[in-house]
C-alpha cells in the first residue's frame, strides 16, 4: 500500500488513553438500570440483558484479561475513527494474552452470516492506525435481525473460538447488536456481543453517550470546506452558495457547522417541524435575508441545508406519506401511464390538502415525487436536490418581489453537497483518541464477561487522561417505536433539541449572522501544532458538556 | 473580525524568505530578452517595454529603497496566497521607508477606474497574514484594456502620489498590466506597473515562472477531498465517483490531483484533443475500465474530469463553433421558436459532420447546447455538467454491453464538482512563503525603477533560503493570438504538455491505477508538523524541476 506523507507520519501517532485504561483494569458497577421508556415491554423482550448496571473501569493491580478470540464488524456508513476502534481492541486483547486473536468479518454484518472473515494481524493492522475509512475489513448494510442469521453466525463464531463480537455501528446496528446479545444469552451460547457508538450524523447520543465517533472529524472537514466557500463568497461578493450537508434525519451536522462557520443562514429541520412551517414560508424567510443583504449592497451569502429537511416540512411529509400509500395501493394502474397522465392521476387521487402542497412544488420536484420511486415503491427523498429546489424557489420569489418593487438586488446561486468528502477523512486527534479508548473499553467489557453493552467514554471535554471509560447496557437507551407498521424496541434517536444549548446558542446569534458577514474560517484539521487548534472538541460537545 | 483557532495561530506564522531578500537588495541584470514568438509584432506594440533584461536580486549593503507610494490590485478569480503578496509588498515598502503608503484598489481593476480604494495600514493588514481569500480588498473581473480606463486610472494614481501599481492576476491580467505599463511609459507618466503570477489553474508558467501561486494550496485541498472520497469508495465498494475539477482550459489541476491520489481514471483534455478523440471513444475507454474492474468484483472507482474537457473534444469543439456562428447569424429567426422547433432548426442548418455529433449527444446536453446561451449568444460550456454527462453516457453504454452479454457488473454513480472549495483555502506553507517572496520582489522591482515586469521567484523545489528572486519582462512571455477575431499580443497560456514529465509519469502508471486500487490519501494541508508533510511541493513542480 503506497502512502502519502501524512499517512506515513500519522502512522506513528500514539493515541492518548484515559488514565483508567493505561494499565490493568477492574470494573466498578453502578445500580441496575432501566430503559428510557416502555420499561415493561423492553424488559419482557430482553429478559437476559435488561436492567444490568452501568460499569466504569478503574485502574487495578490485577489483570482480568484472559485467553479469548474476538470478532469485529463494521456496520453501515463510514465514520472517521473506525479503524482506531479496531486498533484499540487489537492492542488490548494482545496485551491481555499474545495468543488472543482478532477476526474481522468482511464487508459488514453480511460477513458474519456468509462466513467471510480474516484474521487481523500485527503487520496488517499497522497500516491502518489513525487512518480514515472502513477499508481495513469493509463495511456493509446487511441488518442482523433474523434467527437464521444469528444461527449462521454462531457456526463461524464457534469454528473460530470467538468469545465475543464487537459491532461498530449506529443506532440501528447497536439495537441489532443487543437483539443478538439477548438471543445468544437466551440460548446459552456463551458468546458476548458489545456495541460501539459510530455515526457522523451525531444522532446516537444520550445521558451516557456524549457523542458518536466520527462526528468530530466529519463536521470539521465540512467546516473547512464551508469556511473556504465563505471566504470565496466574501471575496467575489456575487454568489449565494446553497450547501447541503449529509446527516440523514437529524440536523446536528448542519448546526455544528453553523456554530463553527457562522454562515448567513442555517436551516434546522427539527425547528421547521416544530413550527409547522411550509416550504413557502422557509423560502420567504430566506428571501427576506437575501433582500436585506441586497439593500446593504451584499448580493452574496452562504446557506446551510440539512439533508433531511424535506421530510421534516410537515406539509411535504404528509404529501409523501399519502403518495407512498396511494401508489402502494394503486401502483399497477399507475405504472402504465405516461408522465402527463401520471401527474393527472396523482392530482385526481390526492386529498385536498396534499393536492395544494403538490401544486406549489416546482415542476422538476413534482416530477421526481410522482415518477422516481425506489424498489419498494417509495418516493426517493434523498434524490431530491433540496439545495437546488430552495434556490430555484428563491429565484422565483425574488423575481416576483422585483416585479412588485420590493427587491432590487441580483441573485445568482451556486450549489454544493458535502457528505462523502468527510465520512472517511483521517480522524482528528479527538476521534483517534476517542475511538482507540472505545476499542480498549470494548476489550475490557469482554474480558469482564459483559454482553449487551455498548462501550462508552465520558468526560470527553476534559484532557484525555481524565476521560472516564466503561460500558452501558444497550437496553437502557431503548424505547418502543413504530417501524414499518410494527412496534419495535429501538435505541432512541437523538434529534436536535430546540431547548438544548447548541441550538440556543445558534438561535441567539443567527439574526446577526444573517445581516452582517460574520464568517469564521476554521481551516483544515491539524494533527500537529498548538493544542487549541489540534485538540478542540466540537462546539456541540463543548456547549452540551459545559 | 472573529477568528477560528487556526486563523489565530496561523497569524503568527512568519513566511520564510529567500536569502537574497532578507536584507538590502541590489539588482543583477541579464542580457536583453525576446518574446517567445512573433518578436517583430510584439516589439512594435511594446516599444518602451520590449527587450528588457531578466533581473535577479542579490544581497547588498546599500538600500535602493526610497520614499514611494504603491497601489495594489487583485484581478480575477481567487487564489490562496493573494493576501501574502500584499503583506510581502507592504512589509518591504514600509521597511524601505515608514512613510511609504500602500493603497488597495477595491474589488479589482474596476477600483482603479472608479477611484475606489483604501489605504492599507499595519493594524488592518495583520488580520490577513497567511489567510486565504481576496477579501482584504476584494477582486473583480473588469479588464483594463482601454485608453479611457488608463486615463481614469492615472487621475487617482497622481492624486495619491502612487509611483507604481502592482497587479496580481492570471495571464490575461498580466497581459493587460503590460499594456498599461507600455501606455504609461509611452506617455511618460512616470508610473510603473508590475505583475504577479496568480492562478490556481496552473496555466501561467514558462521558462521563467515555475508555478503560479495558489496552485499548490488548491490542488492539495482538492486532493484531500479526492483522497477522502477514494477511501469512502474503497470502503463501501459500490459507487463510481465522477469528480469534476476546476481549472478552465488546462488540465493541470486534474493531472496534479491524479499524481497525488492515484484514481482509477483521470481524463486529460490536452491528450483528448491531440488524439482527436470523440465523446463516444472517451466513454468507451471509461467503460472498458469499469467492465474490467467489475470482472474482478470491483464495482467501484474514482474518475477525475477536468472542467475544460468538453471544448477539447475536437468534434464537440467544432459543433460549438458552428452553433455559435449559426445562432449569431440567424439568432432572431431562431429565438422565437419553441424548443422542439429550435432543435429542428438546428438540425436543418448544421453541416453534415456536426449534425452527426449533435445527434449522438444525450437529450439534456443537446438541449443545453441549443437553448441556454450567454448574453453574447454563445453556448455556456461551463454550465454543462460534464461529470453527469459522462456518467449518463457510461450507464447507457454499459446497459448496451449488458444486453450484449459483454458486461455483468453493477454501475452506480455519484457526482462532485470541486472548485470553490479550494480557491480561498488558507495558503499552504509553500504558497504563504512563495507569495510573500513575490510581494517582496515586487517592492524591489518598483524601488529599482522597473516597469512591465512580473515578479518572479525560482528554484522553488529547494529550501526557501535558496530560492532566487527577481523579475522578468512581461513581453518576453508574449506571442500573437487570435482573440474575438483579432490578433492580439498575449502571454502564452501553458497547457499540459504531453511530453512533459508530469504527464509522462501519469501515462506510465495509469493502466496500473485503472486495474488495481492504488489510491493514496493525502489528507488535509498541515501547517505544523514534519517537514515532509508540511513543505512538500506539488508533484507537478517536483517532476518539472527535477
Amino acid at each position: 500500500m503506497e502512502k502519502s506523507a501524512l499517512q506515513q507520519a500519522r502512522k506513528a501517532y500514539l493515541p492518548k488513553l484515559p488514565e483508567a485504561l493505561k494499565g490493568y483494569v477492574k470494573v466498578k458497577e453502578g445500580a441496575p438500570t432501566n430503559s428510557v421508556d416502555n420499561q415493561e415491554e423492553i424488559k419482557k423482550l430482553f429478559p437476559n440483558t435488561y436492567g444490568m448496571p452501568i460499569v466504569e473501569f478503574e485502574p487495578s493491580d490485577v489483570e482480568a484479561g484472559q485467553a479469548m478470540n474476538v470478532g469485529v464488524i463494521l456496520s453501515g456508513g463510514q465514520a472517521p475513527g473506525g479503524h482506531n476502534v479496531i486498533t484499540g481492541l487489537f492492542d488490548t486483547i494482545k496485551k491481555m494474552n499474545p495468543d488472543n486473536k482478532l477476526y474481522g468479518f468482511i464487508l459488514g454484518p453480511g460477513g458474519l452470516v456468509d462466513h467471510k472473515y480474516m484474521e487481523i494481524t500485527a503487520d496488517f493492522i499497522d497500516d491502518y492506525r489513525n487512518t480514515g475509512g472502513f477499508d481495513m475489513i469493509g463495511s456493509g448494510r446487511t441488518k442482523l435481525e433474523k434467527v437464521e442469521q444469528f444461527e449462521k453466525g454462531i457456526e463461524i463464531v464457534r469454528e473460530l473460538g470467538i468469545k465475543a463480537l464487537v459491532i461498530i455501528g449506529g443506532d440501528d446496528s447497536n439495537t441489532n447488536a443487543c437483539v443478538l446479545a439477548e438471543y445468544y444469552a437466551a440460548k446459552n451460547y456463551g458468546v458476548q456481543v458489545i456495541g460501539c457508538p459510530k455515526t457522523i450524523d451525531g444522532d446516537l447520543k444520550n445521558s451516557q453517550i456524549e457523542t458518536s465517533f466520527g462526528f468530530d472529524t466529519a463536521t470539521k472537514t465540512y467546516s473547512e470546506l464551508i469556511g473556504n466557500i465563505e471566504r470565496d463568497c466574501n471575496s467575489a461578493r456575487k454568489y449565494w452558495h446553497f450547501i447541503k450537508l449529509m446527516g440523514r434525519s437529524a440536523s446536528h451536522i448542519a448546526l455544528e457547522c453553523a456554530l463553527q462557520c457562522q454562515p448567513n443562514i442555517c436551516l434546522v429541520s427539527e425547528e421547521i417541524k416544530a413550527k409547522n412551517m411550509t416550504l413557502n414560508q422557509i423560502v420567504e424567510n430566506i428571501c427576506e435575508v437575501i433582500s436585506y443583504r441586497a439593500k446593504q449592497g451584499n448580493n452574496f451569502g452562504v446557506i446551510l441545508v440539512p439533508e433531511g429537511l424535506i421530510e421534516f416540512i410537515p406539509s411535504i411529509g404528509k404529501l409523501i406519506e399519502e403518495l407512498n400509500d396511494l401508489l402502494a395501493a394503486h401502483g399497477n394502474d399507475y405504472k402504465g401511464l405516461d408522465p402527463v397522465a401520471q401527474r393527472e392521476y396523482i392530482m385526481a387521487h390526492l386529498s385536498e390538502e396534499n393536492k395544494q402542497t403538490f401544486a406549489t412544488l416546482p415542476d422538476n420536484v413534482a416530477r421526481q415525487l410522482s415518477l422516481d420511486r425506489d424498489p419498494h415503491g417509495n418516493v426517493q427523498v434523498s434524490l431530491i436536490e433540496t439545495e437546488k429546489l430552495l434556490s430555484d424557489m428563491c429565484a422565483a420569489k425574488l423575481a416576483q418581489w422585483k416585479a412588485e418593487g420590493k427587491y432590487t438586488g441580483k441573485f445568482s446561486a451556486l450549489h454544493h453537497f458535502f457528505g462523502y468528502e468527510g465520512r472517511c477523512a483521517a480522524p482528528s486527534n479527538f476521534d483517534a483518541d476517542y475511538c482507540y479508548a472505545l476499542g480498549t473499553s470494548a476489550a475490557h467489557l469482554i474480558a469482564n464477561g459483559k454482553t449487551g453493552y455498548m462501550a462508552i467514554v465520558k468526560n470527553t471535554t476534559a484532557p484525555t487522561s481524565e476521560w472516564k471509560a466503561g460500558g452501558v447496557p444497550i437496553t437502557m437507551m431503548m424505547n418502543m417505536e413504530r417501524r414499518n407498521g410494527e412496534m419495535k424496541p429501538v435505541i432512541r434517536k437523538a434529534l436536535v433539541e430546540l431547548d438544548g444549548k447548541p441550538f440556543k446558542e445558534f438561535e441567539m446569534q443567527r439574526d446577526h449572522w444573517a445581516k452582517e458577514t460574520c464568517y469564521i474560517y476554521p481551516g483544515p484539521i491539524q494533527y500537529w501544532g498548538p493544542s487549541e487548534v489540534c485538540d478542540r472538541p466540537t462546539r456541540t460537545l463543548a456547549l452540551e458538556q459545559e
Side-chain angles (χ1 to χ4, degrees), chain A residues 210-425:
Chain A
E210 294 182 357
T211 186
S212 56
F213 79 75
F215 180 71
D216 186 272
T217 307
T219 54
K220 282 174 182 166
T221 303
Y222 303 143
S223 294
E224 172 200 357
L225 302 182
I226 295 163
N228 287 356
I229 287 172
E230 285 179 340
R231 194 131 213 174
D232 203 293
C233 182
N234 195 24
S235 299
R237 308 175 75 87
K238 61 182 178 186
Y239 293 118
W240 276 88
H241 291 265
F242 286 70
I243 305 175
K244 186 168 75 176
L245 293 165
M246 227 180 218
R248 290 203 298 186
S249 309
S251 304
H252 296 292
I253 288 181
L255 180 59
E256 169 63 26
C257 292
L259 291 167
Q260 284 194 38
C261 304
Q262 304 190 172
N264 303 99
I265 296 174
C266 172
L267 303 179
V268 175
S269 305
E270 291 85 344
E271 181 187 25
I272 284 161
K273 184 169 188 174
K275 292 188 173 167
N276 200 14
M277 290 172 75
T278 64
L279 186 53
N280 188 50
Q281 282 172 324
I282 297 169
V283 169
E284 283 200 343
N285 286 357
I286 297 173
C287 287
E288 292 289 354
V289 174
I290 294 174
S291 177
Y292 178 91
R293 291 180 64 83
K295 282 185 194 130
Q296 323 292 312
N298 296 326
N299 288 298
F300 65 91
V302 171
I303 300 181
L304 305 187
V305 181
E307 184 181 29
L309 177 75
I310 201 87
E311 286 180 290
F312 276 73
I313 301 171
S315 57
I316 299 200
K318 277 184 221 159
L319 169 65
I320 290 173
E321 233 170 81
E322 192 180 348
L323 276 175
N324 284 339
D325 289 352
L326 178 69
L327 299 179
H330 305 286
N332 285 340
D333 300 358
Y334 174 85
K335 224 188 284 171
L337 303 176
D338 69 48
V340 177
Q342 282 188 334
R343 187 151 184 187
E344 279 164 12
Y345 184 94
I346 287 175
M347 285 300 275
H349 287 75
L350 280 181
S351 67
E352 200 47 45
E353 184 189 359
N354 286 334
K355 202 185 291 182
Q356 276 177 25
T357 306
F358 194 72
T360 65
L361 295 176
D363 272 354
N364 56 342
V365 177
R367 204 179 312 133
Q368 216 154 15
L369 287 181
S370 46
L371 293 181
D372 299 335
R373 328 207 55 89
D374 73 11
H376 310 286
N378 290 322
V379 171
Q380 291 186 273
V381 180
S382 67
L383 291 185
I384 298 174
E385 294 179 302
T386 334
E387 67 282 22
K388 289 191 185 164
L389 164 65
L390 287 172
S391 90
D392 285 352
M393 291 185 76
C394 285
K397 177 76 67 188
L398 292 167
Q400 182 195 326
W401 286 5
K402 193 168 255 181
E404 294 167 7
K406 281 170 65 178
Y407 164 76
T408 53
K410 285 182 204 162
F411 177 71
S412 193
L414 291 170
H415 308 96
H416 314 264
F417 169 42
F418 297 136
Y420 300 96
E421 290 76 2
R423 301 198 315 178
C424 287

